[in-house]
């Protein structure tokens, strides 16, 4: 066999864990924010993320068709401005869509039982998945010409895939990894600052603590909820571009697994807690990579969920979750 | 409590004794055989939803072609065809619940005399015992898992567990994975591989062929550095690719299909700059695989084994099939189109023989399919052996060049 422990291998797995984990964390924020405010597990969030990556792929295809980018150069040179624009457009698209979903599916049920909202979320998730399936069947070259709607699609490399550590290095780090850090970290910092220091952020925290009290204090709760959905959606949309670029694959089914991982991350970190979601995402990415390397990929899901169970036994509110006072 | 099943069993026994006496009586009174029915039905059960769709559409086209060639009639009896789906959008792949429902539907419909399917070996595991008990002939254009028919290759209770009636009702026109896995291992050897890394998708087909590959590789003197199952829904396999790179294996074998994320593995091997060549089985021998992986991840890096040859390399009657398929449908047939066509041809020929003998029942069609010998079809001249397997053993190894499959080697001709 081969050496059990090797520094290069370990470093590579840490890097992979970080890159994968940051994407998960970004999606997890969308779960945790919505849960923090209205105590709804928004099952449609993972699928919303999937739709974002379809928009990204379609826009890349359109850019290719218009001759803005040269397909032959994919992977050789980097298209920074395109990537930046995609993050922005897909973020706004997912944020807007999340707002619409809230308006149509969740808002009418705001005063109904929590279970009704949950079922509505599952319903929305189904609708979006089938929308993705339909989207994948559109006759477009990047989507596979419309022949196989359900087939995974190849997402072109938008950044150069040369190894930044030198072609001879065992550890591979490309602009792909840098892009993830460069987008995720500022977004997380901005979100933290926003929630801590702006008026709307303060209103969000107030609503999260007690909706009725916040309303009595003159907080426009509906506006706060709408903002939460928009911001959560925006982060999911940004994550979808990073995901598609990093894995170079887009598929209508990818939302389920990504959503599952992100939801687990949110619970692990303490649902409702922003730093918790970030920590949980990184932790899951890290544990996955380590388990693939040192345990065997067959066991990775077992390892991840055992960890979740283990942590919830000792900290039922998650790693950074605060103890919820029972609402009377 | 204990008595209730006894009662039921007694009642069943009585009913069946009464029933058979009645039937016997009827048979002795009426000596002339029942007249041929006006029309009969054949059905196919293939994954029509999901990424296998292009492949299965091509197979259904093949079946329709076989029907058109005989004018939709055998010996004056009209043959209807229904194209059933055994996949669900949620799975994007075959679904055991739907395959089971299809089998039940086929059994319940008295007009159905043959069941063409399935594409995935795992799906046949579900429908085989049902159709066997009902005595309905089943012919698969795509299953390659050996355990479905051959003793000694799968679980200890295979294949008997699929044959509750004790007799054979399942046939296949495609060579099995015990042959394919060996061909893949021999090809790895010819690439001068000394170490191989074996992965599988934890499905019946994928894991089965990976095991055959593992066994054959050891016999051929290669070291198997790992044997692991992949999480087929994972976002990427970069961590596994790193492990492969560390192992210094020259060849990676993945027992999986396009539907179980083989393309993602190919991409991540490239992304992590792993030089090992990837060998995948026939579940990836379809356009969708190239589209999903992108040619860059495959060209000069990936080899695909296939239990046959690509349609344009078929000999004899295969060339006629290839030419008329292209004129009829205006595009290249996928790899399994010829198998769909061949399966339908075998069924229709058997029905013809049965009809000429005066009976066109399920039992008569089943007997005639089993008696298929020296059949001269698109895949060559072959027979069904005592297990219901084809005697055809032609295999090919393919790669991708300029975005298209290209055959590099044909064996067993």
């Amino acid at each position: 066999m081969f050496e059990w422990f090797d520094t290069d291998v370990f470093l590579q797995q840490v890097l992979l864990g970080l890159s994968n984990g940051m994407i998960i964390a970004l999606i997890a924020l969308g779960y945790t924010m919505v849960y923090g405010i209205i105590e709804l597990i928004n099952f449609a969030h993972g699928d919303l993320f999937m739709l974002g990556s379809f928009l990204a792929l379609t826009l890349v295809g359109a850019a290719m068709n218009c001759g803005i980018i040269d397909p032959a150069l994919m992977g050789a040179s980097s298209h920074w401005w395109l990537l930046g624009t995609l993050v922005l457009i897909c973020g706004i698209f997912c944020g807007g869509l999340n707002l619409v979903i809230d308006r149509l599916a969740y808002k009418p049920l705001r005063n109904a039982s929590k279970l009704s909202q949950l079922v509505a979320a599952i319903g929305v998730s189904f609708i979006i998945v089938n929308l993705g399936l339909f989207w994948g069947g559109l006759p477009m070259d990047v989507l596979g010409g419309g022949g196989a709607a359900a087939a995974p699609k190849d997402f072109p490399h938008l950044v150069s895939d040369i190894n930044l550590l030198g072609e001879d290095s065992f550890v591979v780090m490309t602009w792909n990894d840098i892009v993830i850090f460069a987008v995720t970290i500022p977004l997380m910092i901005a979100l933290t600052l926003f929630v801590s220091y702006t008026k709307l952020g303060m209103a969000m925290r107030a609503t999260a603590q007690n909706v009725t009290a916040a309303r009595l204090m003159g907080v426009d709760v509906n506006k706060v909820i709408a903002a939460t959905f928009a911001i959560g959606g925006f982060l999911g949309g940004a994550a979808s571009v990073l995901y598609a670029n990093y894995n170079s694959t887009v598929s209508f089914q990818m939302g389920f697994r990504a959503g599952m991982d992100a939801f687990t991350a949110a619970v692990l970190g303490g649902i409702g807690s922003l730093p918790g979601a970030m920590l949980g995402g990184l932790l899951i990415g890290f544990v996955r990579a380590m388990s693939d390397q040192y345990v065997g990929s067959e066991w990775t899901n077992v390892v991840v969920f055992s960890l979740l169970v283990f942590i919830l036994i000792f900290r039922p509110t998650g790693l950074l979750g605060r103890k919820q006072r029972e609402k009377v | 409590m204990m008595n209730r099943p006894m009662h039921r069993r007694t009642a069943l026994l009585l009913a069946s004794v009464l029933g058979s006496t009645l039937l016997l009586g009827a048979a002795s009174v009426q000596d002339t055989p029942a007249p041929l029915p006006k029309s009969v039905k054949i059905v196919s059960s293939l994954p029509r939803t999901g990424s296998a769709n292009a492949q299965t559409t091509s197979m259904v086209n093949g079946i329709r072609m076989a029907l058109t060639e005989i004018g939709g009639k055998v010996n004056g009896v009209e043959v209807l065809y229904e194209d059933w789906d055994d996949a669900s959008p949620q799975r994007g792949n075959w679904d055991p619940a739907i395959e089971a429902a299809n089998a039940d539907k086929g059994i319940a419909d008295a007009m159905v005399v043959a069941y063409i399917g399935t594409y995935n070996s795992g799906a046949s595991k579900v429908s085989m015992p049902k159709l066997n008990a009902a005595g309905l002939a089943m012919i698969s254009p795509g299953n390659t898992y050996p355990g479905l028919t051959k003793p000694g290759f799968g679980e200890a209770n295979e294949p008997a567990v699929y044959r509750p009636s004790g007799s054979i009702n399942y046939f296949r026109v495609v060579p099995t994975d015990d042959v394919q896995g060996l061909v893949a291992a021999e090809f790895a050897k010819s690439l001068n591989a000394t170490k191989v890394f074996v992965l599988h998708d934890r499905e019946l087909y994928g894991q089965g062929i990976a095991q055959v590959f593992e066994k054959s590789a050891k016999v051929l003197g290669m070291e198997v550095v790992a044997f692991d199952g992949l999480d087929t829904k994972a976002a990427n396999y970069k961590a596994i690719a790193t492990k492969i790179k560390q192992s210094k294996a020259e060849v990676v074998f993945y027992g999986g299909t396009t539907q179980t994320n083989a393309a993602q593995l190919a991409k991540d091997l490239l992304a992590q700059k792993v030089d090992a060549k990837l060998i995948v089985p026939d579940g990836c021998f379809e356009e969708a695989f190239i589209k999903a992986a992108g040619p860059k991840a495959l060209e000069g890096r990936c080899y695909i084994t296939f239990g046959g040859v690509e349609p344009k390399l078929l000999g004899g009657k295969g060339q006629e099939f290839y030419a008329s398929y292209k004129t009829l449908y205006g595009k290249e047939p996928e790899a399994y189109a010829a198998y769909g066509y061949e399966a339908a041809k075998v069924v229709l020929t058997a029905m013809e023989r049965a009809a000429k003998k005066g009976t066109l029942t399920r039992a008569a069609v089943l007997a005639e399919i089993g008696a298929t010998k020296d059949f001269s079809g698109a895949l060559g001249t072959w027979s069904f052996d005592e297990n219901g397997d084809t005697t055809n053993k032609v295999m090919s190894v393919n790669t991708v060049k300029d975005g298209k499959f290209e055959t590099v080697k044909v064996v067993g001709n």
Side-chain angles (χ1 to χ4, degrees):
Chain A
M1 281 294 260
F2 42 94
E3 200 71 36
W4 190 77
F5 188 83
D6 180 298
T7 321
D8 275 350
V9 173
F10 181 75
L11 285 177
Q12 175 75 78
Q13 299 294 12
V14 170
L15 179 66
L16 291 174
L18 277 179
S19 298
N20 280 312
M22 287 214 170
I23 298 177
I24 298 174
L26 217 45
I27 311 169
L29 285 170
Y31 279 97
T32 224
M33 284 174 73
V34 168
Y35 185 86
I37 303 280
I38 57 171
E39 284 172 28
L40 163 72
I41 296 164
N42 185 7
F43 273 113
H45 189 64
D47 303 303
L48 183 80
F49 152 87
M50 175 274 293
L51 222 50
S53 65
F54 267 89
L55 178 69
L57 180 60
T58 308
L59 291 175
V60 171
M64 278 176 173
N65 289 347
C66 301
I68 303 174
I69 50 172
D70 183 359
L73 286 178
M74 286 304 171
S77 61
S78 301
H79 304 271
W80 298 115
W81 57 269
L82 181 63
L83 197 67
T85 320
L86 285 179
V87 169
L88 213 62
I89 295 181
C90 295
I92 293 171
F93 169 75
C94 287
L97 195 59
N98 218 10
L99 209 66
V100 174
I101 291 169
D102 172 52
R103 203 54 189 260
L104 297 180
Y106 307 145
K107 200 177 170 200
L109 298 171
R110 202 80 84 208
N111 297 320
S113 81
K114 294 277 180 263
L115 210 57
S116 317
Q117 293 196 27
L118 196 71
V119 173
I122 295 172
V124 172
S125 155
F126 273 108
I127 293 173
I128 301 183
V129 167
N130 283 289
L131 220 57
L133 189 59
F134 171 78
W135 197 328
L138 297 179
M140 203 172 166
D141 272 351
V142 282
L143 297 175
K153 324 285 180 204
D154 185 37
F155 193 89
H157 296 247
L158 295 181
V159 292
S160 150
D161 45 23
I162 55 159
N163 190 354
L164 297 172
L165 302 174
E167 286 304 309
D168 296 330
S169 158
F170 180 89
V171 182
V172 177
M173 181 161 93
T174 66
W175 284 110
N176 267 316
D177 301 287
I178 308 286
V179 162
I180 293 177
F181 303 147
V183 173
T184 309
I185 296 171
L187 277 179
M188 285 181 176
I189 293 175
L191 181 70
T192 312
L193 293 178
F194 172 80
V195 172
S196 316
Y197 296 111
T198 64
K199 210 170 168 188
L200 187 56
M202 206 187 291
M204 274 180 177
R205 283 183 289 142
T207 312
Q209 269 185 9
N210 190 326
V211 182
T212 320
R215 192 175 276 137
L216 288 172
M217 293 298 137
V219 172
D220 184 348
V221 172
N222 277 326
K223 205 173 101 187
V224 167
I225 294 174
T228 309
F229 272 94
I231 295 172
F234 181 89
L235 296 176
S240 76
V241 178
L242 299 180
Y243 179 101
N245 188 53
Y246 185 62
N247 298 320
S248 50
T249 302
V250 168
S251 147
F252 82 104
Q253 286 170 309
M254 68 192 227
F256 180 75
R257 171 49 70 84
M260 189 64 110
D261 275 349
F263 177 61
T264 313
V267 174
L268 197 66
I271 194 146
S273 152
L274 297 185
M278 299 177 198
L279 180 71
L282 288 179
L283 201 62
I284 285 195
F286 183 75
V287 169
R288 273 195 180 284
M290 289 302 146
S291 164
D292 277 356
Q293 173 71 34
Y294 299 109
V295 185
S297 67
E298 216 159 350
W299 294 98
T300 298
N301 282 329
V302 179
V303 172
V304 168
F305 288 103
S306 306
L307 179 79
L308 179 72
V309 170
F310 189 75
I311 287 181
L312 290 186
I313 288 173
F314 292 102
R315 290 192 65 93
T317 50
L319 286 174
L320 302 180
R322 251 167 310 174
K323 214 169 179 178
Q324 288 265 316
R325 235 168 299 146
E326 279 302 315
K327 281 177 187 163
V328 188
Chain B
M1 279 297 280
M2 285 298 288
N3 281 336
R4 270 183 64 197
M6 291 280 280
H7 280 309
R8 203 177 288 162
R9 206 177 300 158
T10 328
L12 264 172
L13 200 72
L14 260 173
S16 58
V17 168
L18 272 174
S20 45
T21 348
L22 275 174
L23 276 173
L24 278 172
S28 56
V29 170
Q30 194 179 23
D31 263 331
T32 44
L36 290 177
K38 260 181 78 181
S39 56
V40 291
K41 210 188 270 180
I42 56 176
V43 297
S44 69
S45 178
L46 302 165
R48 311 285 287 126
T49 307
S51 58
N53 171 274
Q55 182 77 270
T56 53
T57 300
S58 196
M59 292 162 85
V60 167
N61 284 346
I63 297 172
R64 289 194 199 280
M65 231 175 98
L67 259 174
T68 318
E69 279 175 15
I70 55 153
K73 277 188 169 147
V74 287
N75 215 19
V77 180
E78 189 187 10
V79 183
L80 306 169
Y81 166 62
E82 278 177 23
D83 163 19
W84 292 351
D85 187 356
D86 70 359
S88 62
Q90 282 73 36
R91 288 173 57 106
N93 203 346
W94 70 276
D95 188 321
I98 298 181
E99 177 59 29
N102 281 354
D104 290 336
K105 198 162 89 176
I107 294 166
D109 186 344
M111 275 174 74
V112 174
V113 292
Y115 188 94
I116 299 177
T118 61
Y119 180 62
N120 307 81
S121 300
S124 277
K125 248 184 151 167
V126 177
S127 46
M128 269 173 86
K130 285 174 180 278
L131 297 175
N132 183 279
L136 180 56
M138 176 174 187
I139 177 161
S140 168
N143 297 161
T144 50
Y145 172 66
L148 293 175
T149 52
K150 294 184 184 178
F153 280 98
E155 306 289 324
N157 60 356
E158 285 176 338
V161 66
Y162 308 121
R163 297 169 179 159
S165 76
S167 58
I168 291 177
N169 77 312
Y170 173 90
F171 307 90
R172 49 180 154 190
V173 295
V174 52
T176 49
D177 293 336
D178 48 321
V179 191
Q180 200 187 153
L182 178 65
V183 167
E186 278 168 351
F187 188 75
K189 183 86 188 163
S190 77
L191 293 172
N192 293 326
T194 55
K195 290 176 173 178
V196 291
F197 200 107
V198 186
L199 293 167
H200 60 82
D201 61 4
R202 296 189 274 178
E203 279 202 20
L204 185 63
Y205 160 78
Q207 187 162 359
I209 193 163
Q211 277 160 351
V212 177
F213 180 89
E214 187 198 19
K215 228 190 270 176
S216 314
K218 280 182 182 155
V219 171
L220 292 170
M222 289 177 278
E223 187 191 347
V224 178
V225 292
F227 186 85
D228 200 358
L230 282 188
D231 171 5
T232 58
K233 298 256 186 271
N236 59 56
Y237 301 112
K238 292 177 201 260
I240 293 293
T242 304
K243 201 174 172 180
I244 293 170
K245 196 164 151 190
Q246 181 199 10
S247 76
K248 299 202 169 60
E250 295 97 343
V251 162
V252 181
F253 181 83
Y254 177 51
T257 64
T258 319
Q259 291 73 46
T260 56
N261 237 350
Q264 188 65 45
L265 180 66
K267 279 196 254 198
D268 288 326
L269 287 175
L270 178 67
Q272 291 308 112
K273 313 203 186 287
V274 182
D275 293 326
K277 301 273 189 278
L278 175 67
I279 301 183
V280 290
D282 60 335
C284 300
F285 198 50
E286 52 182 358
E287 273 293 311
F289 178 60
I290 304 182
K291 286 222 170 95
K296 233 174 96 181
L298 303 177
E299 282 181 21
R301 301 180 52 90
C302 180
Y303 297 94
I304 306 102
T305 57
F306 175 52
V309 293
E310 51 169 331
K312 66 168 176 256
L313 295 181
L314 288 168
K317 286 196 176 169
Q319 271 310 310
E320 290 167 30
F321 160 78
Y322 178 69
S324 46
Y325 186 99
K326 282 221 308 192
T327 31
L328 207 55
Y329 299 107
K331 59 180 182 187
E332 292 275 326
E334 290 266 357
Y336 272 106
Y339 295 83
Y341 173 79
E342 194 88 332
K345 268 294 211 203
V346 168
V347 169
L348 293 171
T349 317
M351 283 165 68
E352 176 96 49
R353 286 201 303 267
K356 281 200 176 129
K357 287 181 189 163
T359 42
L360 197 52
T361 57
R362 282 181 183 177
V365 173
L366 175 57
E368 289 299 337
I369 293 178
T372 299
K373 219 171 170 58
D374 300 322
F375 182 83
S376 156
L379 304 175
T381 303
W382 53 270
S383 314
F384 281 130
D385 68 10
E386 71 280 7
N387 292 324
D389 284 317
T390 174
T391 52
N392 196 353
K393 298 237 173 344
V394 181
M395 292 265 163
S396 64
V397 181
N398 307 274
T399 187
V400 175
K401 209 175 169 190
D402 300 324
K404 283 196 167 63
F405 286 115
E406 196 187 65
T407 305
V408 286
K409 200 172 164 190
V410 176
V411 285
N413 231 341

